[in-house]
Amino acid sequence: MLSSPVVETINMNVILGKHRVLEDINLVIESGEMVGIIGPNGAGKTTLMRVLLGLLKPTSGQVKLFGASPDRMGKKRDRVGYMPQSPVFSRHFPLSCLDVVTMGSFTATSLGRLFTGQMREKALRCLEMVGLLPLKNKPFAELSGGQQQRVLLARALVKDPLLLLLDEPNAGLDLPTQNHFFALLKELQSRYGLTVVIVSHDLVMISRYAGRLICINRTMHLHGEPLDVLQSSDLGKAYRCELDFLCGKVGV
């Protein structure tokens, strides 16, 4: 059992230039949770993700992963897996599925080195976890959008993380593919005891799978179980528009 929350922010503020992007963010995410971060475009969701990854320091306040500041985690950084909204390399770069997943094994000190047999074996296991082992040698660029997302998920899992951060993983996918991806993610979370934090613009989809939603629009407007959040009058205020139709869909 972990003695401290997996994610904790305390009175966290982020100012970029003259713009206050995040203000007084206080949140706690415990081990084994699947939490959806929602909010309108420009709300600060991706900025929050960058802070959690240690790519951006808060202007004031604290952020802790496993009880430590993200920029002081050392080898514990491997506890955190990250799946970006889009690949960090061109989708058309000539890499196989296995190559893409194996790249997730590299650290800041191992960049530029050759893939090892151990790295490839681990990558193969992760491809099997997401159901794509038969496609290991297929060029990444030739995969469907849903298959590419599963490869990127395998890449995020290759270091056996305890915390998985995903930024808009269902962007651009059709509804059946989104459901398949989230069902797979939920299965992996349950099987391996992962803590999962997902930034999503799709309130209906994320509400079906996350155990808790946190709505931010610069500040944290509300949080709780998905149905309670989506039926709250404060949600419309956060989005500055009417969202009543969503509640009906979620209740189906």
Side-chain angles (χ1 to χ4, degrees), residues 221-235:
H221 286 260
L222 66 161
H223 62 89
E225 294 184 2
L227 191 59
D228 292 338
V229 169
L230 295 187
Q231 290 183 338
S232 171
S233 60
D234 291 333
L235 187 64

Side-chain angles (χ1 to χ4, degrees), residues 33-188:
E33 284 196 276
M34 179 179 284
V35 176
I37 307 294
I38 62 172
N41 291 334
K45 302 187 298 297
T46 296
T47 297
L48 175 60
M49 192 68 72
R50 291 178 64 199
V51 170
L52 296 181
L53 288 166
L55 301 176
L56 182 66
K57 290 186 178 182
T59 306
S60 61
Q62 299 181 56
V63 56
K64 298 178 181 179
L65 302 184
F66 305 100
S69 174
D71 60 349
R72 296 182 178 180
M73 292 181 67
K75 291 184 178 180
K76 291 182 179 179
R77 185 175 295 277
D78 288 347
R79 292 182 176 183
V80 183
Y82 173 56
M83 182 177 165
Q85 184 172 346
S86 57
V88 294
F89 48 85
S90 170
R91 289 180 184 266
H92 301 290
F93 197 73
L95 293 171
S96 70
C97 294
L98 180 58
D99 290 336
V100 171
V101 177
T102 307
M103 287 171 63
S105 299
F106 286 125
T107 64
T109 58
S110 64
L111 287 175
R113 298 181 183 177
L114 296 176
F115 294 158
T116 67
Q118 186 178 16
M119 291 165 66
R120 286 191 178 276
E121 285 299 318
K122 186 59 185 294
L124 288 169
R125 289 198 296 272
C126 288
L127 278 172
E128 186 175 21
M129 286 164 59
V130 301
L132 291 180
L133 185 58
L135 302 182
K136 63 181 184 295
N137 294 320
K138 188 168 183 176
F140 180 77
E142 296 181 8
L143 300 179
S144 68
Q147 289 171 335
Q148 288 184 342
Q149 291 301 84
R150 282 192 279 157
V151 169
L152 294 177
L153 176 59
R155 181 177 180 270
L157 293 169
V158 78
K159 292 184 183 178
D160 294 321
L162 298 177
L163 169 64
L164 192 59
L165 304 175
L166 301 95
D167 191 1
E168 300 279 10
N170 56 337
L173 303 180
D174 60 31
L175 189 59
T177 304
Q178 290 182 45
N179 270 314
H180 184 271
F181 178 86
F182 274 105
L184 171 63
L185 183 62
K186 191 73 175 178
E187 178 188 345
L188 293 173

